[in-house]
Amino acid sequence: MPQWPKIVTQWQSAWASLDADTIIDLYTEDAEHMSHVVTERMGIASGTLKTRAKIKLYVDESTKRLSSFRADIISVVSDGNDDAGNAAVEYWRIINGREDQRTRVMERVEWNGGKLTSCRVFHF
């Protein structure tokens, strides 16, 4: 496996586990998460959740509706170190084992103190 920032590997493993507590533990208290899925599933027009508590609602709902989640990482471009930095993570998302419905995704993540402060998700 290529040498990626620790948070990228933790994020990939956490989502693969579908354990909501493991996923939410990656975020700071004042983190932000943006995705069109937030708009679709939670009815928030901006697509942005602010605070770990609100992100937890999204994570809880997401993990309940999925039987599996796999992120096959294509590339990571990052700046910083394991404590603080940012990265663009491009990957194939395969949910519920449906290889035939895989989606190409790019996430822009930022972290500080080894925890996610911002995550913006772009689906193609």
Side-chain angles (χ1 to χ4, degrees):
M1 176 182 297
Q3 185 62 33
W4 298 321
K6 184 177 177 181
I7 195 73
V8 172
T9 304
Q10 290 173 323
W11 166 87
Q12 184 184 35
S13 293
W15 273 100
S17 78
L18 289 181
D19 181 83
D21 291 334
T22 301
I23 296 166
I24 202 64
D25 281 348
L26 296 175
Y27 289 86
T28 62
E29 290 297 326
D30 60 348
E32 292 187 2
H33 181 91
M34 183 208 73
S35 170
H36 81 275
V37 177
V38 170
T39 301
E40 291 173 0
R41 292 195 188 136
M42 302 187 78
I44 298 171
S46 69
T48 304
L49 298 169
K50 297 182 180 185
T51 76
R52 183 175 166 176
K54 290 182 181 173
I55 296 168
K56 184 174 182 347
L57 296 173
Y58 169 77
V59 169
D60 285 342
E61 190 273 334
S62 295
T63 56
K64 286 177 186 168
R65 61 186 296 137
L66 297 173
S67 61
S68 67
F69 180 97
R70 195 173 89 219
D72 292 345
I73 295 178
I74 299 166
S75 69
V76 177
V77 178
S78 64
D79 184 37
N81 55 48
D82 285 340
D83 184 57
N86 61 77
V89 182
E90 184 179 7
Y91 61 95
W92 286 109
R93 181 190 73 179
I94 296 100
I95 56 175
N96 300 331
R98 297 295 310 263
E99 297 273 348
D100 61 320
Q101 294 180 2
R102 73 181 187 167
T103 304
R104 196 169 193 134
V105 179
M106 199 287 292
E107 292 202 27
R108 175 83 164 101
V109 296
E110 298 173 14
W111 63 94
N112 194 4
K115 298 281 187 180
L116 292 170
T117 58
S118 175
C119 184
R120 295 184 299 279
V121 185
F122 304 93
H123 301 262
F124 298 91

